[in-house]
Structure formats: structure tokens, C-alpha cells
Amino acid sequence: MRPGKGSRPRTRVRPAHEKAVEGFVVAVDRGRYTCLVGSVPVVAMKARELGRKGIVVGDRVALVGDVSGRPDTLARVVRVEERRSMLRRSADDTDDVERPVVANADQLVIVTALADPPPRPRMIDRLLVAAFDADIDPLLCLTKADLASADELVALYEPLGVPYIVVSKGGPLGELRGHLDDRISVLVGHSGVGKSTLVNALVPTADRAVSHVNVVTGRGRHTSTSAVALELPEGGWIIDTPGVRSFGLAHVHVETVLASFPDLNEATVECPKGCTHLGDGCALDRFVAEGQADPARLESLRRLLISREGGEDTP
């Protein structure tokens, strides 16, 4: 008689891992998760029982195994705790696959350069929609004020009540620190806008790589290749993310997109039933013509709606 493969019956009941310790995910690299247990960095891998459940920077997790943090040791992530928030994006506006960016952030810092590269209100609008969808407070951080004035961009977003700060190279960062204290903030923006420079100034030990903007394309080069969470000396955390050139919103419902434009959304109640807000008869055209909203904001909303339908996201 050949021996059997084992007599222990299979079960779907998973262990409770009651002695698991809590960790905070600060970096993710090719299936390895760096988690802080207290102040000790511990490298861990995902337990098989978690299946396809993703783990991202900002997650609170439960760890078992060797959590000493010694070299060449490896713990296991056996549980991902309930998230307070999740910032998501998609590859483009027609891709329904959600891609988590960071978890448990309190604040989305939209970093935009006033010059070199020039500001892109379209990206700002997208990130404001993403913050609204994730229930995260937005903060507009305008960098390189030594190269250009912030007045025009501030005038565009000030009526919406979006808080903003303006910083220049080598200038004081006290106001920015005040917004970051005791909060988990994620920095998002195009490559070359100065995210890593800000991080290095806020956390002197960060040593994040920085680069210059391409003089031909006007775009920055990717220097940060993955998200990383860094503890602020005064308390709180900042999460630096790689520069993005697109931020898809396919996972966001149209109603949420409209609600993210509070300066326009109130006028949609006058639209005819089934209005797509793209063609003739839309009440938004009259609303803007009467001077009650900025035409650039309506153009931005419509380009977002068109791109969700697979159209070109261009002026």
C-alpha cells in the first residue's frame, strides 16, 4: 500500500494569529514590505492566506514570525487592518481596474510648480476629484514661486475653498509644516515639480533623489520609483510618491465627478433629464454665460467627462 498524502483534514478556518504584532507599512518593493514595529523596521512578505489582497504604503498590518528586524530575517503579514481611507487611480479613464496608491492618508498634498514645468490645472482638477472620492482633505502646494507668480492659479481655486500654500526655492516652510503636523499626508504631482526637494527639506535624513526638467519636453524625469512613508521630526508622516503623468478616474462615478466641482454642480439641477453636460441644452452653458462660474472650470469638467467615455483628454 502506498502511503497517503497525509491524514490531517483540510479546513477553511484560518488561524486567528492572536499574538500578531501591529506594523505600519512604510515601503513596498517587489513583494517585500518594510513595516515599522514601534521604531524597528521589519521586512515581511504577504501570507498566502491573504490571497490577492493588496498591501500598500500606509496600511496598518498584523505581523507574525521574526519581527526583530535583524538582517536576513523575514516576517509574515497575516492581516490588513480596516482602512480609514484609500487613494486610488486607474491607468486611464477607460480602465476600470483600480490601482491603490496609499492607504489611511488624512491629506492629499497636490504639488504643482508655477514654472519649469508650467502648472497644469487639468491634473489639479483630477487630483481634487480623487481626494473628494477618497474623503481626503486636499492641500494645494504651489512650488517655484521664485520663478513665476501664483496669483492666476490662486484666483482659479480660491473660490472653491481649497487651502493652498506658496513656497519658493530655499524659502521658509513653516506654513507647510503647520499643515503636515500630526497627520498622514501624501504628496502627488507631475515629475519635476519639486516633491522630493520638499521631502528632503522637511526630513533632512530622507536623501530622496532629485532631477532637473527636460528643456525639450518641459517634463521632469522620474526620480522616485516607489512610494515611501517618512516620519516628520515634529510629528506626522509624509508619503512621497513617484511623479505621475496621468491620473485615471475610471473608478469614480460621474455623480462624484460633478460633486467635485461645487462651483458648477449647483447649476446641474436646471439641466434637462438625462443631460450628459456635454451638448446643447445643458444649463451649465447659461450658468457660465451669466458670469456665475469660470469658463475654464466648465471646460475642465467637460474634458474629464469626455475622457471617461474614451475621447481625447485634450483642450
Side-chain angles (χ1 to χ4, degrees), residues 70-88:
R70 292 190 299 265
D72 302 321
T73 59
L74 195 64
R76 280 190 304 138
V77 177
V78 294
R79 186 170 60 250
V80 178
E81 306 297 350
E82 184 177 356
R83 293 159 171 162
R84 292 184 290 106
S85 67
M86 173 60 78
L87 180 65
R88 299 177 173 89

Side-chain angles (χ1 to χ4, degrees), residues 125-146:
D125 290 343
R126 285 180 171 274
L127 292 172
L128 288 175
V129 171
F132 186 90
D133 178 64
D135 196 21
I136 300 173
D137 295 334
L139 173 65
L140 188 56
C141 179
L142 306 178
T143 63
K144 305 186 183 182
D146 49 310

Side-chain angles (χ1 to χ4, degrees), residues 20-309:
V21 299
E22 181 180 333
F24 176 61
V25 180
V26 296
V28 178
D29 182 22
R30 292 170 293 184
R32 293 292 184 266
Y33 307 93
T34 302
C35 311
L36 279 187
V37 178
S39 60
V40 178
V42 174
V43 178
M45 62 180 295
K46 183 171 65 173
R48 181 180 297 180
E49 61 207 64
L50 291 181
R52 303 175 73 91
K53 185 178 182 65
I55 302 173
V56 297
V57 171
D59 268 325
R60 298 282 179 180
V61 297
L63 301 166
V64 299
D66 194 331
V67 294
S68 65
R70 292 190 299 265
D72 302 321
T73 59
L74 195 64
R76 280 190 304 138
V77 177
V78 294
R79 186 170 60 250
V80 178
E81 306 297 350
E82 184 177 356
R83 293 159 171 162
R84 292 184 290 106
S85 67
M86 173 60 78
L87 180 65
R88 299 177 173 89
R89 63 183 287 256
S90 58
D92 54 50
D93 288 335
T94 59
D95 182 0
D96 292 331
V97 178
E98 296 181 5
R99 305 186 182 201
V101 180
V102 296
N104 298 317
D106 305 307
Q107 182 172 238
L108 172 59
V109 182
I110 304 170
V111 185
T112 300
L114 293 167
D116 191 34
R120 299 175 182 173
R122 290 289 300 107
M123 177 60 79
I124 297 175
D125 290 343
R126 285 180 171 274
L127 292 172
L128 288 175
V129 171
F132 186 90
D133 178 64
D135 196 21
I136 300 173
D137 295 334
L139 173 65
L140 188 56
C141 179
L142 306 178
T143 63
K144 305 186 183 182
D146 49 310
L147 301 180
S149 171
D151 293 346
E152 184 177 348
L153 206 57
V154 167
L156 183 61
Y157 290 98
E158 197 169 25
L160 307 183
V162 179
Y164 69 91
I165 55 171
V166 181
V167 298
S168 57
K169 185 176 181 180
L173 296 176
E175 186 179 2
L176 176 59
R177 294 180 193 274
H179 283 278
L180 302 177
D181 284 351
D182 300 321
R183 307 191 78 184
I184 299 178
S185 303
V186 52
L187 277 62
V188 180
H190 282 291
S191 299
V193 296
K195 295 189 307 299
S196 295
T197 299
L198 281 176
V199 170
N200 288 337
L202 294 166
V203 186
T205 59
D207 195 26
R208 298 291 276 174
V210 298
S211 70
H212 301 288
V213 175
N214 188 304
V215 295
V216 177
T217 64
R219 293 179 175 178
R221 178 179 299 174
H222 292 295
T223 50
S224 301
T225 58
S226 60
V228 61
L230 300 162
E231 190 169 12
L232 292 164
E234 299 83 5
W237 292 82
I238 53 173
I239 302 176
D240 186 20
T241 62
V244 294
R245 290 179 180 167
S246 65
F247 203 98
L249 298 173
H251 60 287
V252 180
H253 295 296
V254 172
E255 292 77 12
T256 302
V257 175
L258 290 170
S260 304
F261 286 75
D263 51 333
L264 299 173
N265 192 38
E266 61 181 82
T268 59
V269 297
E270 303 295 333
C271 288
K273 186 176 180 180
C275 181
T276 62
H277 311 298
L278 298 174
D280 296 335
C282 179
L284 291 174
D285 290 308
R286 184 173 63 255
F287 189 69
V288 169
E290 293 171 352
Q292 300 189 62
D294 193 319
R297 294 283 294 162
L298 178 56
E299 180 187 2
S300 183
L301 170 62
R302 284 179 168 165
R303 282 176 10 204
L304 268 176
L305 296 175
I306 289 171
S307 66
R308 286 177 54 83
E309 301 299 324

